[in-house]
Amino acid sequence: MEEKDFSVQREAMVDYQLHNRGITDTAVLNAMRRVPREAFVPRELREFAYEDTALPLAAGQTITQPYFVAMMVEALNLNGGERVLDVGMGSGYLAAVLGSIAGEVYSIERIGELAEAAQQRLTSQGFTNVEVKAGDGSRGWPDRAPFDAILVAAGAPSVPTALKEQLKIGGRLVMPIGPDETAQELVRITRVSADEYESQDLADVRFVPLIGEGGWRRASPRPQRSFGRRRDSNEDTELAAQIAAVAEPFDSVDELPLDGLLERIGDRRVVLIGESSHGTSEFYRARQRITRALIEEKGFDFVAIEGDWPDVARIDHYVRHAEHPPSEWQAFARFPVWMWRNEEVREFVDWLRVHNADRRADERVGFHGLDLYSLYNSIREILNYLDEVDPQTAAVARERYGCLTPFQSDPATYARAALNPGYATCEAPVLKMLQDLQRRDQEYAEHDGERFLDAVQNARLVANAEEYYRSMFYGSRSAWNLRDTHMFETLEELLAHHGEGSRAVVWAHNSHVGNARATDMSRRGEFNIGELCRARFGDEAYLIGFGTHTGTVAAASNWDSPMEVKEVRPSLEKSYENLCHQTGRAGFILPLETGSDKRVVRGLSHPRLERAIGVIYRPETERQSHYFEATLTAQFDEYIWVERSRAVTPLTTASLRGAPDTYPFGL
Ligand code: SAH
């Protein structure tokens, strides 16, 4: 097989992920310029070797994100020639980086199979100064002690005593410490004298647990390991039969049975409806049927979707027959256009407009966007609004938002600029603008409540998007959390705006809607709107998820690449999807609440694999890029299954010919 040259990506990784983020130690930067990370990641993940993320390794372990490798090694203050202990060797990448700088490295890995593979990689890369052994590194390596530096790449409740004892006076130890197995603080301990240690906090991190005498005592019952539990295939066959017996079957989503579902939803306030891809027709159609029923039979007040506020505001203008004209730019024009600009959504939008037509303005059902990618369209909307109602403030706003203008073509570059020490970020001016607008509440709201809401939401979006782009650079966790926090705040604002007791339907991907606590996400420190709703509204929030076995899906191969209709691979064995597939049903609705069938709920409450397809689908690396672990019963209140699904139909110019000027999807 042809070997790809990764040197350009490696250089870029060092420049953007390390140097621009404040790693300055040239020994560390040079070592990471030399060690080929692609040789340390599993073969099928090589193309991701220089992504800004941790990667999965055999035996449920992970290879540390490059940025944290650099941060940890830098914190050891190595000058060359030192004797270093590396605990939790994993892939061996960190050992290789250490070996390129220090004199001798002693690496310990608990899992024999990993130690062996890592040893082979180091040998084939020509490292002769790294000694490897399999065993419990929380006890250190007494034969080789004392060490100038110790690095531990796994988390423990406290620093193992043995390691502290094996540190030379003046030596440094860097490791993640935290009271639970999923979240730690990266700390540096310096031994200042025989019995004195100084400690310094470096960063919030998530590492796998250090398992052993000086760490966590045994493999924890977290999903990651319990997943490995042998599940008898007979057990699954039985469970599938039980599911088939209790689930409410349907042949087509167009005839979705709604009575049971509506009854279970009762008078809850917020219903979040997911999707396990951004391009499956059945999910959109089922979601719309449910939403229509919620509106018609239960009087829900608005729908809020995973789309950008100003784009979705155009749909809102249209469906609520608003008087002021929508703005002129092309809404939903950014990648991925098919996600909302499709026949399925159009059908709902047209229905909603008719539904609203003969209702009083204040009784019309709204349609709103929760997402924050529309930084510049939002700025333009705020300026348009202020120009009209308050030209003086508009001038101030122009100046403040001017700070962000140079990055218009690629907001992500803002993040890079903002990283330069001494660069004045736009944080203060955009926050000031939001606060100013909020303070004018009374004054402007009298003018026009709806339009004022629109301006404030756009200002909130700009403030959160500014922070989002700035933090995007530090790794995906905080950026993801900011985005879902923004979605949640927007939802809360909307509930307040629509008045006391108002009720909302949310449409977003399963990964936003399903409680993050029940999935891998929480291990990475990520939460989502489903989790935030659960915390805020308790039982008043109802979470509905979707899944499918096979069929086609509209998705791209890369960000900004064209949409393709791709074949969805049949679901993997041992996944929830495969279990549902074994029911032999074309489709069903399955209640997962405790009140539901006990055996089914119990059977489904062990973690399994679950598939998520976003706007990108890469069948080639499906297991790594699209499956994660989750506990379905804790993730959703209800699960809707479609055995065989089809791609959504994107709107084309021809399909919109003759649409009125105000039509939200105008091309
Ligand atoms: N730095 C590594 C990251 C490995 S993840 C890399 O970049 O590849 C942490 C590793 O610590 C896992 O491989 C895990 O098996 C190992 N580990 C956990 N407890 C351990 C212990 N007590 N002794 C040695 N290794 C341990």
Side-chain angles (χ1 to χ4, degrees):
M1 202 164 83
E2 196 187 320
E3 286 295 319
K4 191 172 164 193
D5 180 8
F6 285 93
S7 55
V8 174
Q9 292 181 38
R10 194 177 311 123
E11 281 295 321
M13 179 267 282
V14 171
D15 285 350
Y16 294 127
Q17 298 173 33
L18 312 183
H19 184 251
N20 280 4
R21 266 187 205 153
I23 304 291
T24 52
D25 186 331
T26 43
V28 177
L29 295 173
N30 286 338
M32 290 183 69
R33 267 194 192 103
R34 280 196 306 271
V35 179
R37 192 164 191 260
E38 71 276 11
F40 291 85
V41 310
R43 177 161 279 281
E44 68 278 12
L45 294 181
R46 281 194 166 185
E47 63 166 308
F48 307 114
Y50 293 96
E51 302 263 309
D52 187 13
T53 175
L55 289 171
L57 191 62
Q61 303 303 323
T62 54
I63 306 178
T64 313
Q65 182 182 345
Y67 175 55
F68 287 115
V69 169
M71 182 194 282
M72 292 194 289
V73 179
E74 185 173 62
L76 293 176
N77 279 333
L78 303 174
N79 296 312
E82 293 88 348
R83 174 181 282 239
V84 183
L85 177 66
D86 166 43
V87 176
M89 186 183 194
S91 65
Y93 177 69
L94 232 164
V97 172
L98 289 171
S100 314
I101 304 171
E104 304 148 42
V105 179
Y106 299 90
S107 273
I108 313 183
E109 168 55 52
R110 186 177 73 94
I111 301 172
E113 149 207 5
L114 292 181
E116 212 169 292
Q119 167 80 77
Q120 274 168 19
R121 292 185 186 116
L122 289 167
T123 309
S124 68
Q125 294 296 322
F127 284 91
T128 51
N129 62 341
V130 184
E131 192 179 336
V132 180
K133 84 169 180 183
D136 179 5
S138 69
R139 294 194 234 156
W141 195 329
D143 295 355
R144 304 287 188 271
F147 301 98
D148 299 291
I150 299 179
L151 195 154
V152 186
S158 58
V159 182
T161 318
L163 297 183
K164 284 165 83 172
E165 285 169 0
Q166 292 173 32
L167 200 57
K168 282 188 196 168
I169 291 175
R172 287 81 53 202
L173 176 152
V174 171
M175 81 175 283
I177 298 292
D180 85 55
E181 294 182 27
T182 59
Q184 306 98 9
E185 182 77 40
L186 188 66
V187 298
R188 170 170 54 195
I189 308 285
T190 308
R191 185 170 193 175
V192 285
S193 71
D195 46 17
E196 261 180 296
Y197 297 85
E198 265 171 25
S199 168
Q200 193 188 346
D201 290 348
L202 303 176
D204 280 340
V205 288
R206 313 267 145 180
F207 276 79
V208 298
L210 180 75
I211 295 162
E213 204 176 274
W216 298 98
R217 279 313 168 98
R218 61 191 153 74
S220 74
R222 287 186 306 126
Q224 188 178 324
R225 267 169 299 279
S226 54
F227 165 72
R229 177 177 93 90
R230 266 274 162 71
R231 220 182 270 111
D232 198 323
S233 61
N234 285 338
E235 267 178 61
D236 274 6
T237 315
E238 209 182 305
L239 182 55
Q242 289 164 352
I243 293 173
V246 301
E248 298 164 2
F250 59 81
D251 288 326
S252 152
V253 290
D254 301 320
E255 280 136 38
L256 202 66
L258 291 172
D259 294 350
L261 177 62
L262 291 179
E263 199 173 304
R264 292 187 291 275
I265 289 175
D267 54 7
R268 292 175 217 250
R269 211 174 160 203
V270 180
V271 176
L272 297 97
I273 315 181
E275 57 187 2
S276 67
S277 92
H278 282 314
T280 301
S281 178
E282 282 75 6
F283 303 157
Y284 283 77
R285 275 149 55 214
R287 194 159 61 179
Q288 285 161 32
R289 280 190 53 89
I290 298 168
T291 306
R292 280 166 65 158
L294 292 175
I295 292 170
E296 286 179 314
E297 295 177 31
K298 294 183 186 276
F300 269 65
D301 299 277
F302 63 93
V303 180
I305 71 171
E306 186 188 338
D308 297 329
W309 176 272
D311 286 6
V312 186
R314 290 178 52 117
I315 297 188
D316 189 50
H317 289 149
Y318 182 73
V319 299
R320 285 206 279 170
H321 308 263
E323 272 158 29
H324 55 284
S327 19
E328 295 132 26
W329 86 88
Q330 278 202 352
F332 303 101
R334 76 162 170 89
F335 178 89
V337 284
W338 68 90
M339 181 170 155
W340 296 115
R341 214 193 257 231
N342 60 49
E343 292 288 356
E344 287 79 357
V345 173
R346 174 165 78 163
E347 202 185 298
F348 181 81
V349 165
D350 290 347
W351 172 83
L352 190 55
R353 182 172 158 88
V354 173
H355 170 89
N356 279 338
D358 47 13
R359 288 185 161 68
R360 279 205 339 248
D362 62 344
E363 286 176 348
R364 291 179 186 151
V365 174
F367 202 77
H368 307 288
L370 299 174
D371 220 337
L372 53 51
Y373 288 108
S374 60
L375 188 53
Y376 295 97
N377 283 335
S378 290
I379 291 178
R380 186 170 40 204
E381 285 296 283
I382 299 165
L383 296 177
N384 284 345
Y385 171 76
L386 289 174
D387 277 342
E388 207 178 296
V389 306
D390 185 352
Q392 231 170 340
T393 308
V396 176
R398 274 211 164 74
E399 185 164 327
R400 287 182 179 152
Y401 287 140
C403 172
L404 286 163
T405 326
F407 308 99
Q408 183 132 6
S409 63
D410 177 13
T413 54
Y414 167 63
R416 230 166 279 160
L419 281 165
N420 281 326
Y423 179 89
T425 72
C426 307
E427 185 179 7
V430 300
L431 271 180
K432 191 95 200 354
M433 205 56 238
L434 172 61
Q435 289 156 356
D436 276 8
L437 276 176
Q438 284 171 329
R439 243 191 320 253
R440 306 274 178 104
D441 192 342
Q442 282 303 317
E443 210 179 303
Y444 291 162
E446 277 162 24
H447 205 81
D448 176 351
E450 286 297 328
R451 294 192 65 198
F452 175 66
L453 170 77
D454 195 49
V456 171
Q457 287 309 328
N458 278 314
R460 178 190 313 282
L461 188 153
V462 174
N464 287 338
E466 185 275 337
E467 195 182 353
Y468 173 81
Y469 285 115
R470 203 155 26 84
S471 78
M472 213 162 81
F473 229 62
Y474 287 98
S476 54
R477 172 180 26 133
S478 58
W480 171 277
N481 287 349
L482 279 170
R483 187 173 162 217
D484 274 57
T485 303
H486 172 78
M487 291 196 201
F488 180 69
E489 274 175 22
T490 306
L491 177 66
E492 281 201 302
E493 283 302 316
L494 285 167
L495 285 166
H497 177 79
H498 280 267
E500 205 177 323
S502 63
R503 300 205 267 166
V505 186
V506 172
W507 294 356
H509 196 277
N510 279 355
S511 56
H512 294 292
V513 160
N515 192 338
R517 293 230 134 199
T519 74
D520 274 357
M521 290 167 71
S522 71
R523 187 148 41 90
R524 297 197 298 268
E526 291 172 356
F527 50 78
N528 63 8
I529 185 169
E531 179 177 341
L532 296 171
C533 281
R534 185 60 91 215
R536 168 79 174 77
F537 305 113
D539 281 351
E540 292 281 278
Y542 204 68
L543 318 182
I544 303 175
F546 278 90
T548 187
H549 175 60
T550 188
T552 57
V553 65
S557 296
N558 285 301
W559 195 257
D560 271 342
S561 303
M563 186 203 100
E564 299 166 51
V565 172
K566 298 190 169 212
E567 298 281 334
V568 176
R569 288 198 169 181
S571 60
L572 288 182
E573 229 182 284
K574 304 279 177 204
S575 60
Y576 281 114
E577 285 83 352
N578 203 267
L579 187 64
C580 293
H581 164 65
Q582 289 180 46
T583 62
R585 293 282 152 102
F588 59 73
I589 303 185
L590 180 66
L592 299 167
E593 287 184 296
T594 32
S596 170
D597 186 89
K598 296 262 177 322
R599 285 169 314 170
V600 168
V601 170
R602 210 178 313 118
L604 290 175
S605 57
H606 299 289
R608 281 174 191 259
L609 290 179
E610 188 182 304
R611 177 164 56 197
I613 299 175
V615 291
I616 305 219
Y617 181 44
R618 292 181 168 160
E620 328 73 72
T621 56
E622 201 187 35
R623 169 68 181 84
Q624 289 80 17
S625 38
H626 297 286
Y627 280 89
F628 58 98
E629 277 162 29
T631 304
L632 200 69
T633 45
Q635 194 183 4
F636 300 113
D637 295 311
E638 197 98 19
Y639 189 63
I640 302 184
W641 172 251
V642 181
E643 170 75 13
R644 186 167 278 278
S645 52
R646 283 190 304 105
V648 290
T649 308
L651 292 176
T652 60
T653 317
S655 63
L656 285 167
R657 203 154 283 142
D661 282 352
T662 52
Y663 198 69
F665 297 118
L667 290 173

